[in-house]
Amino acid sequence: PLVIVPILENMCLRMPGTAIAAGALCLAACLTPTGASAQRTNLRDEPRPAIYRSGDGIWLLDLPPAMEDALDRYNRDFEPWAEQNYRALPDYEPSPRQLPWAVIGDFNGDGRPDLAIAGRTDRDVVVVFVLSTGRSRYRAVEAERDPYDPDDPSSIRLPLLTYMYPGRYVVDDARLGYAQPLVIDQPAVQISGGRRQGAVVYVVQNNAVVPYYLSDRTAPPAPPRPPRPPGTPRPVRPTTGNSGNP
């Protein structure tokens, strides 16, 4: 298996070294319609997903009905992780963008908030992206699946989700063959922990959730331009001055 330690170039992740107060997960429906009726509601009229801190210092996640409905259609046995599953994370800071098991951001660039959330089914630890697909619908896309033994809680390995800002990162993937820069134009999600060593960044590209392994190497410089063949005229540069042209 490919083992890579994540050291990012121009990394902008919020990972200050401060201890956190464990949060609790609260999936609250804020509109009366549920199920198919919720899908007919214009997403602009729905409450947005929100991560916030209660007066008791507990971090909470609220999801609109359309997102809950998408998760229910994905798998009725899906159960998000909760605060008791994440205890000792001294280098992780929850924020309105991220919890250890949930990240909110516009991952597909359509101007509407999306969600990445970790949880479990009856036999698998999963990470699911909930993406807006139009004015009134979300769809759930499974990004990762890791089986566990329901009779052995020690077989569960929790993933750790982190919000990634748009920017330039270095990735190293078997599909690429060598380390190279990856420019992300919209927010993405870093996933570490679980059974992997290193980290993966998940980027939504062409409506698909695509993983890239983060690299500990520096991206190589751009290849040099090939020499100009003899007799090839140089490109004409635009002139400036009072030539009378606009």
Side-chain angles (χ1 to χ4, degrees), residues 13 15 20 81 85-94 98-103 116-118 125-127 144 157-164 189-196 198-200 202:
L13 303 181
M15 299 278 291
I20 70 168
W81 295 120
N85 303 117
Y86 293 85
R87 290 292 187 183
L89 296 174
D91 295 329
Y92 191 98
E93 182 184 14
Q98 65 178 23
L99 292 172
W101 63 91
V103 172
I117 188 166
V125 174
V126 295
V127 176
E144 291 191 357
R157 298 292 184 269
L158 297 178
L160 182 66
L161 278 59
T162 306
Y163 180 94
M164 294 185 70
V189 179
Q190 174 185 289
I191 302 181
S192 56
R195 300 183 190 278
R196 72 173 58 81
V200 176
Y202 279 90

Side-chain angles (χ1 to χ4, degrees), residues 13-177:
L13 303 181
R14 298 184 60 185
M15 299 278 291
T18 56
I20 70 168
L25 178 65
C26 174
L27 296 178
C30 300
L31 294 180
T32 301
T34 58
S37 62
Q39 289 297 315
R40 292 192 296 268
T41 303
N42 192 317
L43 295 183
R44 295 182 182 275
D45 300 329
E46 278 220 343
R48 292 172 173 258
I51 295 173
Y52 64 95
R53 198 170 190 175
S54 71
D56 298 329
I58 299 174
W59 286 93
L60 304 173
L61 171 65
D62 285 349
L63 298 184
M67 277 191 171
E68 291 184 332
D69 187 70
L71 288 170
D72 190 52
R73 286 184 284 111
Y74 158 70
N75 192 320
R76 290 183 178 274
D77 294 327
F78 175 76
E79 178 184 352
W81 295 120
E83 62 90 14
Q84 64 264 25
N85 303 117
Y86 293 85
R87 290 292 187 183
L89 296 174
D91 295 329
Y92 191 98
E93 182 184 14
S95 75
R97 299 182 188 271
Q98 65 178 23
L99 292 172
W101 63 91
V103 172
I104 295 173
D106 180 14
F107 305 133
N108 57 9
D110 66 354
R112 298 182 177 91
D114 306 302
L115 173 73
I117 188 166
R120 63 180 175 183
T121 62
D122 55 346
R123 291 185 177 273
D124 297 285
V125 174
V126 295
V127 176
V128 181
F129 279 68
V130 184
L131 305 173
S132 61
T133 61
R135 294 179 58 190
S136 61
R137 190 173 180 85
Y138 283 98
R139 66 186 178 99
V141 180
E142 183 180 289
E144 291 191 357
R145 175 180 292 268
D146 182 32
Y148 68 91
D149 183 354
D151 298 323
D152 181 12
S154 66
S155 66
I156 296 177
R157 298 292 184 269
L158 297 178
L160 182 66
L161 278 59
T162 306
Y163 180 94
M164 294 185 70
Y165 290 88
R168 184 175 183 269
Y169 300 89
V170 177
V171 296
D172 191 5
D173 195 291
R175 296 165 297 176
L176 306 176

